[in-house]
Amino acid sequence: MDFTIVHELPRRIRLRSGRLLDPCLDVNYLEALLGAVSGVSSIRVNVRAQSLVVEYDGSSRCRDEIMALLSSIPVEAYLPDVFDEETADPVRLAMRGALALATPFLNRGVAAPLTWLNGAPVIANGVETLLMRGVKVEALDGSVVLFSLLRKDFVTANMIVALLGLAHFMEQRLEHNATSLLKSLLRPQAEDAWVLRDGMEVKVPFAEIVPGDHVICGVGEQIPVDGMVVDGEASLNTSSISGESVPAHTSPGDDALSGSVVEEGRLVIEAREVGSSTHLARIGRYLESSLRYRSKSQRRTAELADRLAPATLGLGLALFLLTRDIRRSASVLTVDYSCALKLATPVAVRTSMYAAGKEGVLLKGAHALEAFANVETIVFDKTGTLTTGDLHVTDVLPAAGTELDEDGLLSLAAAAEEHYAHPVARAVVLEAEARGLALPALSQVDFIVAHGVAAFVEGREVLVGSRHFIAEDEGVDCSPLDDLAAELRGQGKSLLYVASQKRLLGVLALRDSVREEAAETLAGLKAAGVRRIVVLTGDHEQSAASLLEHLPQIDEVHAELKPEDKADIVRELSEKHGNLAFVGDGVNDAPALVTADVGVSMPQAADLARESAAVVLLREDLRCLLVARETAMQSEKTMTHCFGATLSVNSIIILLAMAGATQPVLSAALHNLSTIGILSYAAASGLRATPTVKALRSKDSTTMETADAPAHDVD
């Protein structure tokens, strides 16, 4: 079963292996793995000939990687419930159709061998399926053609073969179109890029770009890296990433994501992430995963379809034994439930995912759609989700008896927070910069996740964080500022305590704003069947309660939480209130995202949060949650309609066949036409029913402000 070299040229190698005949091997996935090897230019696979041809750059390094990969194919390339189907050939289909139309006018001596030759592949496929996989639809098709040939009914045999080919071709086209729609959310990665090297613009292969390179992108070019614009201005089309059709103006200092296309202007981008670590590559992995794995409902539907095939065969044989009418029996056998039941769901899922993606929602597969449609409780992490996360310092209050004034306290806190990439830290540093303060020298810093920062500033330890961190963990007396702290919290502000040498130096007050679309979104979720909305935060109880004044749709608030508490609460709420979704954006949210039935990540979430989530919002707009919810519900409704239509229509055709009201050709035609119709409905329904964010926008939305307290920094 190993791959052996049949023929080799300097830049081309042909291999052969019986592994390619393994029905569980996902050949498309194997091609993708080989295509990811740097230097490989093309791959051609011929399963029946057990042949694989790879063209590459001729380097020994690339050849060694190809052979190493083929000698140890990863386990994820094998899917036990995937069987490779022969691609429908339009030329063969046309020949079968022509033969079916010509058969009534041919001499029987000519028609007989042509018909046996035409029907032999269908019969052989049925026998192979029966022996390898049991009674499936292919076995039914083969038996009908064989019965017709044994009765010397060559017209019926050829018509059924032609109808089977037409149905197979249409089904593949519909599924292919649905998959292509989903993949069209991504543009192919650029093969080459212009990079500044030693002051010169040099064209280099994409694989040779490294972090820190300055990549040049002009009009019509796709940005191949994630990074920051260091020079130039441009209008970027980000539709392949966010679904937003309006070009975004980009200038120095702005982030640039791979997959964006320069419509006007020219940019020089300092590469931060390259290759498989880019934003576009991560989305590509999500989509690849979504196409390869099925949800529970898909598996149940496929299992039902497999169970119905033996029942149909048994019914046909029983009818023949009772009536001795092989025509009636053949009419029954031409009808099966399998095609529509197995294909309608993936077609509906893929078109729904495409439509949602165009509106800024990335759903990671059928399981995400299924789970989000059944969500009854949605839990929000407060920071960066219901609020904008754009904190700003409102008050700088030194403690009584300290030698520091406002600027001194602020500069000390900013020095400790300067290297911490968190909204609270950014707010403090930005306020210091706005006041033109020079920051003291920093010699050492430790980030205590979920609590704050411990740093050595000008030789003395400085602690910055929540009251819990300063008072309970570090033993600093914070009581002198308790009355002032209560007053600030009552104003909807969050507090950041600063201490040194076991002494409280003062407190900073910060404020965040509730997203202007938050109230509208929560109301829409309630209208869409979500029964309970819960908020988790590290805020003090008093600060957290102020959120209810702006968002009365919230049913429950849990405050003063540590990150590890969130996952526990999510688990408890799930057990108590049924299916649950968690919406978050931080590294600390990853355990809760995984614990929930559906994890939802905000656009600017940490990488770990995005990887952990089943749903990723691609726009900074909470209304995308409504898009996801309504898309998921409509997808479920579409699949239910397809399921009901498949059972009812095919059952009616079977009853007509049993009553002798239809001939085998008519039964086959009715069955195949109904299958194509059901698949067409599944494809169109997802595209038509997904709401747009623009349609959901409220004209009278207003900005509301409330306190915010990230669980690891502030009180």
Side-chain angles (χ1 to χ4, degrees), residues 382-384 387-394 422-431 492-496 509-513 539 706-714:
K382 184 182 167 193
T383 308
T387 63
T388 63
D390 294 329
L391 291 163
H392 59 276
V393 176
T394 59
H422 186 272
V424 171
R426 287 197 298 270
V428 174
V429 173
L430 286 174
E431 179 65 20
K493 298 176 182 178
S494 302
L495 305 182
L496 191 67
L510 305 95
R511 188 193 295 276
D512 191 6
S513 299
D539 273 4
T706 188
D708 178 48
H712 57 289
D713 276 347
V714 296

Side-chain angles (χ1 to χ4, degrees), residues 399-552:
T402 66
E403 70 281 5
L404 297 173
D405 58 8
E406 286 190 16
D407 288 350
L409 178 64
L410 180 61
S411 63
L412 200 63
E417 297 270 32
E418 185 178 14
H419 299 287
Y420 197 5
H422 186 272
V424 171
R426 287 197 298 270
V428 174
V429 173
L430 286 174
E431 179 65 20
E433 291 177 353
R435 297 191 183 194
L437 303 180
L439 302 186
L442 179 72
S443 58
Q444 181 182 333
V445 61
D446 293 317
F447 306 123
I448 297 90
V449 175
H451 295 290
V453 174
F456 279 88
V457 181
E458 294 186 332
R460 63 172 176 171
E461 185 181 36
V462 176
L463 306 173
V464 184
S466 66
R467 189 183 195 283
H468 172 82
F469 170 52
I470 301 297
E472 299 179 26
D473 293 350
E474 298 297 331
V476 177
D477 182 14
C478 296
S479 59
L481 291 179
D482 281 351
D483 291 340
L484 179 59
E487 181 182 346
L488 292 170
R489 292 192 197 101
Q491 298 170 9
K493 298 176 182 178
S494 302
L495 305 182
L496 191 67
Y497 287 77
V498 184
S500 179
Q501 310 298 326
K502 296 296 181 179
R503 180 186 177 194
L504 182 65
L505 300 181
V507 66
L508 309 182
L510 305 95
R511 188 193 295 276
D512 191 6
S513 299
V514 172
R515 293 179 183 270
E516 63 179 46
E517 75 278 9
E520 177 188 349
T521 300
L522 298 190
L525 289 172
K526 285 289 186 74
V530 175
R531 297 182 180 179
R532 194 166 191 81
I533 294 175
V534 181
V535 175
L536 307 183
T537 178
D539 273 4
H540 188 278
E541 289 278 1
Q542 188 177 357
S543 298
S546 66
L547 187 65
L548 295 173
E549 299 175 9
H550 302 286
L551 300 174

Side-chain angles (χ1 to χ4, degrees), residues 359-361 372 521 617-629 693 696:
E359 290 303 315
V361 181
F372 205 59
T521 300
L617 305 188
L618 303 177
R619 295 180 184 174
E620 283 290 346
D621 193 329
L622 280 179
R623 280 175 287 248
C624 290
L625 278 174
L626 292 177
V627 171
R629 173 69 173 185
V693 171
L696 294 171

